[in-house]
Amino acid sequence: AKEAGRANHQFFTPELNKRASERMWLESNLRHALADNELELHFQPQFAVDGRRLVGAEGLLRWRRRDGTMIPPGQFIPVAEDTGLIQPIGDWVLGEACRRAADLIARGHPLLIAINLSAVQLRRPGLADRVAFWLDAYKVPARCLELEVTESVLMDDSDMVAGTFARLREMGVALAIDDFGTGYSSLSYLKRFRVDKLKIDRSFVTSLTDGSDGGAIAEAIIGMARSLRMQTLAEGVETEEQFGGLARLGCDQIQGYLLGRPMPYEEFAAFAARQAAV
Ligand code: C2E
Ligand code: CA
Ligand code: CA
Ligand code: CA
């Protein structure tokens, strides 16, 4: 066993070694991040193209370490998914989104708050119960909450996923498909699930103006959404040129650095108040 261990060791290049230890660090510290209040939900504004009206926000998870450093979600969400920590973290996100939605309502801004769900969260029973629990706990109407899932979740033909979506639909919670067009090519799931909104991935927004496909894909998505009576929201809009192109194609909503970056809640509440005053 000792020899095997030594032999194995040779496969660990310094690079692999570094990644493995980073991962171990993330695993052991992520366990405490939730308990120690190191997680924050930031909010990125979403606007109706029509009148550039603020209509909602996407809640995006942030991990702020006590030393002030921020760890982006792309780094720790995969670890949370692998370790099962995504269950308590996802539940916290749901509760936090409802708490903030209730506060916005109290301040006179009944906005739609969207959050991201991992496939892992949907493959476990009880998600619809937790959504119902948090909505009731903060007395938030279901129509103020939107859940974003990726296409892979809808390709899962388990009864669990279908049952969960049926219940969420009954409750009146909105469902959006995130990163639409980047995942699976089969669209058959659109017949099985009620979907309220397609979020057009940033890559298609970029190609609107970089001359590659001239926005053919964005145009096709918007056309399809319209005929299926779904809304469209374009993500990662950074320029007025992109905004104009999407407006011409008939896109309903816009999210991106052009109109607002993700920001801590208090900043977002002030942002919403300024928008309402315009
Ligand atoms: P996503 O859901 O596709 O979120 C959009 C990402 O694009 C966010 O990165 C956002 O900050 C960034 N973004 C927004 N506007 C622009 C823009 O104009 N230009 C550019 N270049 N980027 C823009 P972020 O916050 O780092 O989140 C990364 C991913 O982490 C998210 O991608 C989502 O998949 C995941 N994530 C974030 N919060 C949660 C969460 O609470 N639960 C789960 N399961 N996943 C989450
Ligand atoms: Ca998202
Ligand atoms: Ca996205
Ligand atoms: Ca994404």
Side-chain angles (χ1 to χ4, degrees):
K2 198 178 169 199
E3 266 167 63
R6 199 180 300 147
N8 264 334
H9 189 78
Q10 297 177 349
F11 291 108
F12 283 93
T13 63
E15 177 53 28
L16 268 177
N17 228 328
K18 182 164 166 274
R19 250 190 284 160
S21 63
E22 266 171 18
R23 193 172 169 95
M24 268 164 61
W25 183 91
L26 281 169
E27 266 188 53
S28 55
N29 285 276
L30 190 52
R31 264 169 223 293
H32 305 292
L34 189 57
D36 296 349
N37 289 316
E38 290 182 1
L39 297 184
E40 295 175 10
L41 203 56
H42 285 203
F43 293 84
Q44 184 176 30
Q46 299 178 330
F47 287 81
V49 168
D50 198 11
R52 287 202 190 198
R53 204 162 33 86
L54 179 69
V55 290
E58 177 177 4
L60 292 158
L61 201 49
R62 299 286 179 262
W63 177 4
R64 194 195 297 271
R65 299 278 302 153
R66 223 163 308 159
D67 64 8
T69 53
M70 287 270 237
I71 303 172
Q75 252 176 56
F76 67 84
I77 298 269
V79 176
E81 288 175 341
D82 289 350
T83 55
L85 284 168
I86 194 67
Q87 303 295 348
I89 290 174
D91 194 60
W92 178 83
V93 168
L94 203 47
E96 182 70 0
C98 290
R99 184 168 79 96
R100 298 313 200 181
D103 187 64
L104 288 165
I105 291 169
R107 297 187 196 205
H109 314 301
L111 298 170
L112 180 69
I113 303 299
I115 56 163
N116 296 281
L117 290 184
S118 275
V120 190
Q121 288 175 270
L122 281 148
R123 293 196 186 110
R124 279 240 321 231
L127 179 73
D129 287 336
R130 293 310 289 169
V131 172
F133 172 84
W134 286 120
L135 287 173
D136 182 61
Y138 291 109
K139 299 286 172 276
V140 172
R143 68 181 137 74
C144 289
L145 183 66
E146 184 166 75
L147 304 177
E148 298 188 4
V149 299
T150 53
E151 289 161 277
S152 62
V153 170
L154 302 175
M155 295 297 287
D156 186 328
D157 58 8
S158 70
D159 291 341
M160 171 87 72
V161 172
T164 297
F165 281 129
R167 267 202 64 202
L168 292 170
R169 174 181 199 168
E170 267 168 44
M171 287 163 52
V173 173
L175 183 65
I177 303 186
D178 206 356
D179 307 340
F180 186 78
T182 61
Y184 291 75
S185 52
S186 166
L187 296 174
S188 57
Y189 62 80
L190 291 176
K191 284 197 295 192
R192 295 181 59 226
F193 298 103
R194 174 214 63 166
V195 171
D196 301 276
K197 190 182 288 177
L198 301 182
K199 294 194 75 174
I200 301 170
D201 190 71
R202 187 166 74 88
S203 56
F204 305 129
V205 171
T206 310
S207 57
L208 263 178
T209 46
D210 71 1
S212 51
D213 67 17
I217 296 178
E219 184 171 11
I221 294 173
I222 292 165
M224 183 185 71
R226 183 173 302 133
S227 60
L228 293 172
R229 294 194 181 77
M230 295 181 292
Q231 296 227 294
T232 46
L233 180 148
E235 298 193 273
V237 177
E238 296 181 348
T239 68
E240 284 293 347
E241 198 186 356
Q242 290 166 347
F243 186 104
L246 290 157
R248 271 192 298 282
L249 292 177
C251 184
D252 299 304
Q253 293 172 17
I254 298 288
Q255 178 181 348
Y257 295 167
L258 173 68
L259 297 178
R261 291 187 177 244
M263 52 192 115
Y265 177 71
E266 285 305 331
E267 206 179 303
F268 177 73
F271 182 93
R274 278 199 307 278
Q275 292 292 320
V278 189

